[in-house]
């Protein structure tokens, strides 16, 4: 059965290349540097950098507590880190949905 599947894949690939993407539909910012892009993205979705900062600070505090021997506080901070990561991911998804809805209008 394996060789038959390989033949099907090769025949599908021989049908031709996929249609090219239309790059003109995408917004371009040719003179935009890293700092300008970072500020633009932060203005578009400010919750993502806030979530990243919260995640990193909770992680650093948890590691400090672990090194000091406060394992109970360290475990609490690792659980808080998971919550902060979840918030960051939700903010990222929310920003993507908002951008997609905004671009359709």
């Amino acid at each position: 059965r394996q060789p038959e599947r390989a033949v099907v894949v090769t025949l599908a690939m021989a049908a031709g290349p996929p249609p090219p993407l239309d790059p003109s539909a995408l917004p371009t910012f040719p003179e935009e540097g890293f700092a300008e892009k970072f500020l633009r993205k932060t203005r578009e979705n400010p919750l993502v950098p806030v979530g990243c900062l919260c995640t990193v600070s909770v992680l650093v505090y948890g590691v400090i507590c672990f090194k000091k021997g406060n394992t109970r506080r360290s475990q609490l901070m690792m659980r808080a880190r998971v919550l902060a990561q979840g918030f960051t991911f939700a903010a990222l998804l929310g920003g993507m949905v908002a951008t997609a809805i905004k671009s359709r209008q």
Side-chain angles (χ1 to χ4, degrees), residues 12-88:
M13 290 182 354
L21 294 174
D22 184 19
S24 63
L26 300 173
T28 57
F29 304 94
E31 66 279 343
E32 187 178 46
F34 176 77
E36 292 86 11
K37 183 175 182 177
F38 180 78
L39 289 174
R40 179 175 56 84
K41 294 285 188 180
T42 301
R43 274 187 238 110
E44 288 175 5
N45 194 357
L47 293 179
V48 172
V50 169
C52 289
L53 286 174
C54 287
T55 303
V56 169
S57 16
V58 168
L59 175 66
V60 168
Y61 185 63
V63 169
I64 289 171
C65 289
F66 182 75
K67 283 194 171 215
K68 287 183 177 180
N70 191 349
T71 55
R72 186 177 176 98
R73 176 67 53 96
S74 175
Q75 281 294 316
L76 183 65
M77 289 299 108
M78 291 305 115
R79 291 179 185 141
R81 177 192 55 86
V82 171
L83 289 174
Q85 279 180 297
F87 170 79
T88 305

